[in-house]
Amino acid sequence: MIRLGVNIDHVATVRNARGEAFPEPLAAAHAAILGGADQITVHLREDRRHIRDADVELIASGLAIDLNLEMACTEEMVAKATAIKPQHVCLVPERREEITTEGGLDVAGNRDAVASTIQGVKAAGCSVSLFIDPDEAAVLAANDVGADAIEIHTGRYASAKSPAAIVREFLAIRQAATTAKQLGIRVHAGHGLDYRNVWRVAALPEIEELNIGFAIISRALFTGLSAAVRQMRDEMLRAREMAGQDL
Ligand code: PXP
């Protein structure tokens, strides 16, 4: 099976744009569950530009499904995870000036910080994934530092324009997924996935989980969030059913 984690950061972005108390991320989480979300994913950024501490606390205590907390490798965030105890933590690189998470974590270049963050959040009982580019060395480094899972950054695949570039980026994802599976670490993927490009990635049998936000929340403006989540799940499951057939 393949799980869908729904990233609801953008609901908080809309709320914060008006300085109102709504739309509430917790309400979005419930709507996503109605649509079939397997987990809720939120990114608590250093600048709190969308999700805030109180959102994570409410979602962690009010949900029947797992919470996946995306966070940077900082002591502040380890303390948050220790207090909130989400089921899963995904470690991501963070730069203040970026609009969204632009690249994967440089695990080898920040080995000590990543390793000690992993230790800290594991001590709180969370499983840990590392958000990395689809790159062999990064997969090996993630395994070395003791990650339970990798989340492959699919942004380059999603933004590739030519058919050749799409295939090249997809093959990099497939190779990274295969390597991780051989090493015995779980494989997730996400970033930039939408209703048109999800199928190749969802069809890969090594991938157990996709985390998708922007495309679902954007579609939800027109269809409603539960239906938007259900449609994404249908695409993912169809890709699995068709896997192995000529597409
Ligand atoms: N996974 C991670 C680690 C992310 O940082 C993001 C973006 O917040 C996503 C998945 C979801 O990306 P998108 O919003 O483009 O679907």
Side-chain angles (χ1 to χ4, degrees):
M1 277 304 286
I2 180 165
R3 291 190 309 276
L4 171 59
V6 177
N7 183 313
I8 57 170
D9 293 350
H10 295 292
V11 175
T13 303
V14 174
R15 175 195 60 193
N16 300 352
R18 276 297 287 263
E20 287 288 355
F22 64 90
E24 295 164 56
L26 181 61
H30 286 304
I33 292 170
L34 276 180
D38 298 291
Q39 76 178 5
I40 297 300
T41 296
V42 294
H43 185 176
L44 187 65
R45 294 186 76 102
E46 185 201 10
D47 62 9
R48 308 299 197 267
R49 70 173 71 154
H50 37 59
I51 290 291
R52 296 174 179 153
D53 301 52
D55 297 323
V56 189
E57 282 155 27
L58 273 175
I59 292 166
S61 60
L63 284 195
I65 59 173
D66 287 2
L67 171 63
N68 176 35
L69 176 65
E70 295 174 2
M71 56 175 240
C73 294
T74 63
E75 283 176 19
E76 183 205 3
M77 286 300 154
V78 172
K80 283 283 162 209
T82 304
I84 293 168
K85 299 200 187 328
Q87 286 81 3
H88 313 287
V89 161
C90 178
L91 300 179
V92 298
E94 208 172 288
R95 289 193 303 121
R96 253 177 192 262
E97 61 277 17
E98 68 192 359
I99 294 174
T100 181
T101 316
E102 280 168 3
L105 201 58
D106 174 9
V107 181
N110 298 282
R111 207 192 145 83
D112 292 349
V114 175
S116 83
T117 305
I118 290 177
Q119 260 182 11
V121 292
K122 276 191 174 176
C126 315
S127 78
V128 190
S129 68
L130 302 185
F131 191 45
I132 56 170
D133 290 322
D135 169 68
E136 193 84 352
V139 178
L140 294 170
N143 184 52
D144 271 358
V145 290
D148 300 302
I150 55 164
E151 179 166 328
I152 300 173
H153 195 316
T154 49
R156 285 206 310 254
Y157 159 73
S159 59
K161 295 284 179 282
S162 69
I166 293 169
V167 169
R168 187 185 62 232
E169 296 303 339
F170 169 69
L171 291 177
I173 293 169
R174 191 172 74 177
Q175 183 57 51
T178 308
T179 304
K181 191 78 186 173
Q182 297 266 334
L183 291 167
I185 42 181
R186 297 199 304 274
V187 190
H188 309 160
H191 209 285
L193 295 175
D194 62 26
Y195 291 83
R196 295 170 63 139
N197 64 24
V198 72
W199 64 272
R200 275 181 215 265
V201 178
L204 288 175
E206 295 82 7
I207 295 188
E208 295 179 24
E209 174 182 308
L210 299 181
N211 286 294
I212 306 179
F214 193 68
I216 292 177
I217 301 302
S218 302
R219 178 163 292 212
L221 289 176
F222 305 104
T223 65
L225 187 49
S226 302
V229 172
R230 199 170 300 118
Q231 286 166 14
M232 182 57 82
R233 272 192 66 83
D234 289 348
E235 291 294 338
M236 289 164 52
L237 297 179
R238 194 165 32 244
R240 277 295 156 99
E241 281 166 18
M242 308 277 284
Q245 301 177 27
D246 284 341
L247 290 171

